[in-house]
Amino acid sequence: MNLNTSPSALTNLGPLAQLRAGRLPERLLRLLVGLWLYGFSNALLMYSTLGGSPWVVFHEGAARHLPLSLGTIMVLVALVVLLLWIPLRQMPGLGTLANTLLLGPFTDLNLQLLAVPETLALRWVYLVGGVVVCAIATALYVGAQLGPGPRDGLMTGIARRAGGSIQRVRTCIELVVLALGIALGGVAGVGTVVFALGVGPITQFFMRYLVLRLDVAPAVRNT
């Protein structure tokens, strides 16, 4: 179903209420397709070699100061972000768990399936395609309303509580994370800037068409 871009279109349900909200097979399919596409987007952006997403820059910067692997740092950052959900009253769910467990393997698999671009023009195609696919993937799996991933939950939680648009909140988060990553020594590129400035507006556009409206009684909503 189509809906407007207001954050109120996203319900904030507990884990069990999310599963009972109806249209579960369709929502599970959207969740899995969205996470697969997110992994595909990651692979496109990484193979473009024109600059990673702001979160990648942040993780790389943090790795310069901690005796931990990049993957371990990503897990720790995700846990810290989940703590930020508490004051936002953002509810986790199956989608949150799926994001944590599946996004990495989906990214690895797509890296194996994709060919490495050999020309600058094709690298730019990978970059632009990665940003667009990331926006579609985000709208799909967040719009399934089974609980967003840690970073996207921060985005939707702030948007709902503060009354801002998804576009504005996501862009602000990406820019703040990018600045912190550069300050820590992470390496950014032109692709990082394109991602930070482009993914918010494009996600906002696709949220209009890919978020499912759920028929949930007011009593079971969490406020």
Side-chain angles (χ1 to χ4, degrees):
M1 292 184 181
N2 296 353
L3 47 90
N4 60 38
T5 57
S6 170
S8 63
L10 294 169
T11 56
N12 188 35
L13 306 176
L16 292 180
Q18 290 169 7
L19 298 177
R20 296 169 179 167
R23 305 174 69 175
L24 186 58
E26 178 185 359
R27 291 163 61 212
L28 287 173
L29 179 61
R30 285 171 175 254
L31 170 66
L32 292 176
V33 171
L35 290 176
W36 170 266
L37 287 176
Y38 211 120
F40 181 58
S41 165
N42 285 342
L44 286 171
L45 292 170
M46 293 172 70
Y47 275 158
S48 78
T49 67
L50 291 170
S53 69
W55 283 105
V56 170
V57 175
F58 177 76
H59 295 146
E60 290 176 343
R64 293 176 177 269
H65 303 276
L66 298 172
L68 301 171
S69 69
L70 186 63
T72 301
I73 290 174
M74 292 178 68
V75 172
L76 293 176
V77 170
L79 291 174
V80 172
V81 172
L82 285 175
L83 291 177
L84 297 177
W85 285 24
I86 296 175
L88 298 173
R89 299 182 183 179
Q90 179 71 21
M91 300 302 296
L94 180 61
T96 310
L97 179 62
N99 181 286
T100 303
L101 298 180
L102 297 179
L103 188 55
F106 282 169
T107 299
D108 289 340
L109 183 56
N110 278 294
L111 284 170
Q112 296 178 17
L113 295 176
L114 273 175
V116 178
E118 298 181 354
T119 66
L120 179 59
L122 189 54
R123 287 165 58 199
W124 271 97
V125 171
Y126 272 42
L127 169 62
V128 175
V131 174
V132 174
V133 172
C134 179
I136 296 172
T138 301
L140 266 175
Y141 87 80
V142 172
Q145 306 220 50
L146 286 165
R151 296 160 185 83
D152 289 308
L154 181 65
M155 171 189 70
T156 57
I158 292 175
R160 188 183 62 256
R161 300 295 291 185
S165 71
I166 292 292
Q167 170 183 336
R168 185 178 305 168
V169 171
R170 174 145 193 171
T171 299
C172 289
I173 290 175
E174 299 287 353
L175 290 175
V176 170
V177 169
L178 174 59
L180 291 173
I182 293 175
L184 290 171
V187 179
V190 63
T192 309
V193 177
V194 172
F195 185 95
L197 296 178
V199 73
I202 301 173
T203 300
Q204 175 82 357
F205 172 80
F206 283 110
M207 290 285 276
R208 300 174 184 172
Y209 307 103
L210 296 178
V211 175
L212 290 176
R213 185 182 297 277
L214 303 180
D215 295 325
V216 181
V220 302
R221 292 178 183 267
N222 293 283
T223 59

